[in-house]
Amino acid sequence: EVVLINPNIATVQTSPSKITGADRVYFLPILASTVKDVILREKPDGVIVSMGGQTALNVGIELWNEGFLQDHKIEILGTQIPVIEATEDREIFSEKLKEIGETIAL
């Protein structure tokens, strides 16, 4: 089953479920507290934080760093949190590029 949290009701209203791929849709703001509530209710095996823009990334990182996802044995599907953090932080990203011999524009 696929559960979708989407704060933009207009997107889902114009998309049939076969397009969104969701079995259930929650029209809620993407906040750590609301995502926690949905997770506690739905008990997912995994979550994808890399689809949903910057807000989803930020909330996913927050829930990971506070240990909520690990405590509930929720797997991160797709791009892993350390990789997201490395791409979000200029210094870490710069170091990662140096590690593989890539140059960066200054």
Side-chain angles (χ1 to χ4, degrees), residues 33-80:
S33 60
T34 55
V35 172
K36 284 179 181 181
D37 289 343
V38 172
I39 286 172
L40 293 173
R41 179 183 177 129
E42 296 290 341
K43 299 177 181 21
D45 295 321
V47 295
I48 300 173
V49 301
S50 56
M51 297 175 66
Q54 193 64 49
T55 303
L57 292 174
N58 293 343
V59 169
I61 290 168
E62 179 180 343
L63 295 179
W64 179 263
N65 286 339
E66 72 179 40
F68 179 84
L69 298 174
Q70 301 91 315
D71 291 346
H72 291 84
K73 298 180 179 23
I74 298 170
E75 183 180 353
I76 299 295
L77 306 173
T79 308
Q80 300 298 297

Side-chain angles (χ1 to χ4, degrees), residues 85-104:
E85 289 177 317
T87 61
E88 295 285 310
D89 183 294
R90 289 179 184 223
E91 287 183 37
I92 296 172
F93 187 71
S94 176
E95 288 302 315
K96 295 291 181 190
L97 288 177
K98 286 179 189 174
E99 286 175 17
I100 62 171
E102 288 295 324
T103 57
I104 55 173

Side-chain angles (χ1 to χ4, degrees), residues 19-41:
I19 293 174
T20 65
D23 297 294
R24 279 181 303 291
V25 178
Y26 288 85
F27 299 110
L28 297 168
I30 307 297
L31 303 168
S33 60
T34 55
V35 172
K36 284 179 181 181
D37 289 343
V38 172
I39 286 172
L40 293 173
R41 179 183 177 129

